[in-house]
Amino acid sequence: DVKVTQSSRYLVKRTGEKVFLECVQDMDHENMFWYRQDPGLGLRLIYFSYDVKMKEKGDIPEGYSVSREKKERFSLILESASTNQTSMYLCASSLYIREYTQYFGPGTRLTVL
Amino acid sequence: GNSVTQMEGPVTLSEEAFLTINCTYTATGYPSLFWYVQYPGEGLQLLLKATKADDKGSNKGFEATYRKETTSFHLEKGSVQVSDSAVYFCALIRGGSEKLVFGKGTKLTVNP
């Protein structure tokens, strides 16, 4: 079974802090994704990566950056956390560009005070 | 652009009732279509998928048929259980793209 793990289930940070969310997959997938999930808005893509050190902006990249130094790990960085970044963050991975099934981690619920 | 519209929730049913959650899409080309399910406190899991017109995806008693003529992918189950209580997301991915486009989700509650 594919396993996607996220470093924390719950996280509380203060405004202005730098926040790192980590995601690891164990199935040698090329593609990795970060989404945020908000009530009434569904899932929105923040960034994705199709290879090590490669990244592309999703629909809402502002205020976020990402890092992919190793194939299995994809980090989401909030450079200076703000209260409007309070959300559920979901990581996903997929095997290669034309294998469309994305596998999701359990999510990190981030609260920014 | 590509988009997915699914029925507004929440949906509340009694156990053993018939379930339909409507999903329609707008997309260029020939997208693949998915239903994902999110149980309370968990991430999303793939429930079923269909990659071409008239394909039927099925899993755990759920079914959905890719209808190109009506641009729809409605989710159905003949007899729901309390354990089916979850949020259901319809999604598409356009050929040649890596990005899933999600609907806003439909929350289903099944009462005993």
Side-chain angles (χ1 to χ4, degrees):
Chain A
D1 276 358
V2 176
K3 192 163 186 182
V4 180
T5 57
Q6 296 184 228
S7 50
S8 306
R9 293 299 301 270
Y10 300 94
L11 207 53
V12 179
K13 296 292 183 181
R14 297 205 174 274
T15 301
E17 282 193 76
K18 190 169 186 175
V19 181
F20 293 85
L21 303 182
E22 304 285 338
C23 175
V24 178
Q25 49 91 5
D26 67 355
M27 286 301 291
D28 204 33
H29 283 179
E30 282 82 1
N31 300 328
M32 297 188 75
F33 307 81
W34 275 107
Y35 297 88
R36 64 177 283 175
Q37 181 180 14
D38 300 288
L41 298 177
L43 276 79
R44 293 178 291 169
L45 181 64
I46 304 171
Y47 267 97
F48 70 99
S49 168
Y50 52 88
D51 201 352
V52 175
K53 296 191 185 295
M54 306 301 287
K55 62 186 179 185
E56 285 203 22
K57 294 180 180 178
D59 300 317
I60 51 162
E62 296 78 18
Y64 303 94
S65 62
V66 290
S67 171
R68 193 163 180 205
E69 297 296 319
K70 294 185 178 181
K71 192 175 186 179
E72 67 271 19
R73 188 179 298 270
F74 191 36
S75 302
L76 180 69
I77 303 157
L78 286 67
E79 296 290 343
S80 177
S82 63
T83 55
N84 63 12
Q85 292 179 309
T86 292
S87 186
M88 170 71 88
Y89 289 88
L90 293 168
C91 176
S93 70
S94 66
L95 180 57
Y96 52 87
I97 284 178
R98 294 190 184 280
E99 207 297 319
Y100 300 125
T101 301
Q102 291 187 15
Y103 299 88
F104 284 80
T108 296
R109 184 164 293 282
L110 172 68
T111 302
V112 182
L113 301 175
Chain B
N2 302 318
S3 66
V4 174
T5 303
Q6 62 183 102
M7 64 187 285
E8 297 275 334
V11 174
T12 302
L13 296 173
S14 297
E15 208 164 21
E16 300 184 2
F18 184 85
L19 169 70
T20 300
I21 300 178
N22 290 337
C23 172
T24 57
Y25 68 90
T26 302
T28 55
Y30 301 94
S32 292
L33 302 173
F34 303 81
W35 277 100
Y36 279 85
V37 59
Q38 185 177 33
Y39 298 104
E42 298 184 12
L44 274 70
Q45 302 175 24
L46 178 68
L47 182 59
L48 52 84
K49 68 180 181 182
T51 57
K52 61 183 187 296
D54 300 324
D55 268 2
K56 178 186 282 188
S58 62
N59 186 25
K60 299 182 181 179
F62 291 89
E63 293 184 340
T65 301
Y66 189 143
R67 301 285 188 201
K68 190 164 176 62
E69 64 276 11
T70 54
T71 61
S72 65
F73 193 54
H74 304 321
L75 182 69
E76 296 181 336
K77 186 174 185 182
S79 176
V80 293
Q81 306 300 312
V82 172
S83 57
D84 294 326
S85 298
V87 180
Y88 293 82
F89 292 91
C90 186
L92 69 83
I93 193 163
R94 187 172 56 82
S97 170
E98 306 82 12
K99 300 181 188 178
L100 270 174
V101 176
F102 285 92
K104 293 187 178 179
T106 303
K107 183 175 182 180
L108 170 66
T109 301
V110 180
N111 295 320

